[in-house]
Amino acid sequence: IRYEATAALPALPQPLVRSLRRLRVRLCAMAPRSAPRSRPVAPGLLALAGLVASLVYLGSLGPAYSVKGVWQGQPTTLKDTVKGDFGSVMEGLEPKVSFPPIAYHREGVALSVEDGRLNADYTAKLDEDTMLQLRVNDEQEWRASLRGEDASLRVRGQGANLDSLSWEAAQSSSVEDVGDVKVEFNSDKEYNLTVVREMLARIAGAELDAKVRATNAGVTGRLGARRELPGGVEASYSVENPVGVYDLASSTHRGRLSAAVAGGEAVLQVEGDASSQAYEGSYVRDLQGGRAGVRLSHKDGALGYNVSYARDFDGVLDGDAGVHVGIDEDGVYGKVTASREVGQGLGADYEASARFETGEERRLQLQHALKLSNKLGYAQLAHGSGEAPRLRVGYEFN
């Protein structure tokens, strides 16, 4: 949320103007103090109502704040409220207010207040392609940058202390018969030189690409090939060595085959080096208004699988709803979601999920939650296997 002050603000009531003048920049870092349990609830409710009313008035001038509060606990806690003890609930519902940054811009110069800190910015266009930007704050931290079409320089420091000075520079270009070249280096004497060639060559119908990167730790390179085979099959392969390791046995090989099959897409992937390999095959397609998928994998000696079906019922039912069911190596799972408007600006959301683990410890896990909400707040009741029901009440508006 951003509010920019200009010279044409709407007139405010004088009592409100006098109140605003007493505010300080540090208000944006203030946090509300916890209320003692013995404090009467009526003054707290009146203060909350007054704050909400004043902020709603300010909101008519434009978005300039954020207010929120939340309380969570077991429903049995509300028994205390019947006895007149609202302390535990009010402590969570006390408003936490975030005030906006305020900025003034004019002809490349800007003054702003963000998170209780004053910043001064200066921006200038040195030539057609180069921009200069400078920022200084009230703690004498500063940073400057020069950005051009193919080069950049960023410098930061603390006051006039040269020991705190640090910088980063980068330049990129496209070199004929070489590729796209980018060099990066900084004040810590670290460098990164990258050369990318999207189309290295075409051999036997296969397109080759290459990427080489040099750093302080060594060089890494990647060579890739891709080709379209008969029947709509696409094949790709790449090999890449770790940084500073030039043993081919340590290089990572990746292969992929994909094809359109029976209205869906089938994919086979292989990845690994000389010591270990991983395999994965998958097939997905649209089915009865939803999405069905099958996945099989083998990695580190373990077999994995997942068969699932997901469908949204938006437009079919009165509201939005969806279902997702499946089975994998850990067991059977499912999830149902539904939401709709119940009138008077009130919305209802429901979510239920279940998983039955088929391992040595066979167990059933259930979770479900119901949430009612409007523009100002919400209440949610959640419950899961092996845990007590949880009630969550909160509000947030801006």
Side-chain angles (χ1 to χ4, degrees):
I1 302 172
R2 187 177 183 87
Y3 172 74
E4 294 187 358
T6 67
L9 290 176
L12 300 178
Q14 287 303 313
L16 182 59
V17 172
R18 289 193 294 269
S19 298
L20 290 175
R21 286 174 178 171
R22 290 195 293 268
L23 293 177
R24 294 293 183 265
V25 171
R26 294 180 181 174
L27 281 174
C28 59
M30 290 179 62
R33 292 172 291 182
S34 299
R37 294 180 58 91
S38 59
R39 187 174 61 187
V41 67
L45 291 175
L46 291 175
L48 175 59
L51 178 60
V52 170
S54 62
L55 288 176
V56 168
Y57 173 80
L58 290 175
S60 64
L61 306 179
Y65 61 89
S66 173
V67 183
K68 63 181 180 179
V70 63
W71 173 84
Q72 177 174 294
Q74 297 182 9
T76 54
T77 307
L78 298 180
K79 293 180 180 179
D80 295 336
T81 62
V82 179
K83 303 175 183 178
D85 184 2
F86 292 85
S88 60
V89 177
M90 286 300 301
E91 287 176 5
L93 292 180
E94 285 184 341
K96 299 175 178 60
V97 184
S98 298
F99 291 93
I102 299 177
Y104 172 79
H105 303 266
R106 185 179 179 87
E107 297 180 356
V109 178
L111 290 176
S112 61
V113 176
E114 299 179 20
D115 298 327
R117 180 170 295 178
L118 178 64
N119 301 299
D121 296 87
Y122 175 72
T123 303
K125 190 173 184 179
L126 301 184
D127 55 41
E128 187 175 347
D129 300 324
T130 307
M131 292 291 297
L132 169 66
Q133 293 179 314
L134 174 65
R135 163 166 283 202
V136 183
N137 64 27
D138 54 10
E139 294 186 352
Q140 299 186 23
E141 296 177 352
W142 60 269
R143 63 175 183 262
S145 66
L146 278 172
R147 298 181 182 274
E149 182 178 356
D150 55 8
S152 65
L153 173 63
R154 292 176 295 180
V155 187
R156 64 177 62 229
Q158 177 73 41
N161 183 10
L162 297 181
D163 293 335
S164 66
L165 193 68
S166 63
W167 54 266
E168 300 173 353
Q171 184 173 13
S172 58
S173 61
S174 183
V175 182
E176 187 177 358
D177 298 328
V178 175
D180 297 329
V181 180
K182 184 175 183 179
V183 58
E184 302 165 289
F185 50 101
N186 58 34
S187 54
D188 293 328
K189 299 182 179 180
E190 299 172 337
Y191 73 91
N192 199 338
L193 173 63
T194 306
V195 180
V196 178
R197 186 74 178 269
E198 294 291 344
M199 175 59 73
L200 180 63
R202 185 185 296 272
I203 301 176
E207 298 178 353
L208 304 182
D209 63 86
K211 177 180 179 180
V212 178
R213 184 167 60 92
T215 69
N216 301 73
V219 179
T220 177
R222 176 188 176 277
L223 178 64
R226 58 186 181 276
R227 181 182 178 181
E228 292 188 3
L229 303 176
V233 178
E234 294 184 1
S236 64
Y237 168 80
S238 67
V239 57
E240 182 175 5
N241 72 291
V243 177
V245 179
Y246 311 112
D247 181 10
L248 187 60
S250 301
S251 299
T252 300
H253 301 258
R254 297 182 179 90
R256 187 178 189 273
L257 285 173
S258 63
V261 178
E265 183 184 28
V267 178
L268 176 62
Q269 300 180 87
V270 181
E271 179 178 341
D273 53 23
S275 60
S276 63
Q277 298 81 38
Y279 308 89
E280 181 177 302
S282 63
Y283 177 73
V284 294
R285 64 160 296 178
D286 294 333
L287 180 64
Q288 297 295 320
R291 190 75 166 170
V294 179
R295 178 186 58 82
L296 295 173
S297 63
H298 186 273
K299 183 177 181 180
D300 298 330
L303 178 65
Y305 61 91
N306 190 355
V307 181
S308 65
Y309 178 75
R311 180 179 176 180
D312 291 330
F313 293 94
D314 300 350
V316 178
L317 302 177
D318 185 12
D320 299 330
V323 61
H324 186 188
V325 295
I327 179 172
D328 58 21
E329 61 271 15
D330 295 323
V332 182
Y333 62 89
K335 181 178 181 180
V336 176
T337 59
S339 62
R340 61 165 297 178
E341 295 292 331
V342 295
Q344 301 296 323
L346 187 65
D349 298 272
Y350 178 75
E351 179 178 307
S353 61
R355 171 175 281 275
F356 178 68
E357 298 181 358
T358 57
E360 296 181 358
E361 297 182 2
R362 295 174 177 265
R363 60 177 178 174
L364 177 64
Q365 293 180 317
L366 298 172
Q367 288 187 336
H368 61 107
L370 175 63
K371 181 179 180 181
L372 298 175
S373 61
N374 60 15
K375 287 192 273 188
L376 291 181
Y378 64 91
Q380 183 185 51
L381 180 63
H383 188 206
S385 300
E387 59 184 28
R390 303 183 311 279
L391 178 63
R392 184 180 179 91
V393 181
Y395 59 91
E396 182 172 0
F397 57 91
N398 52 41

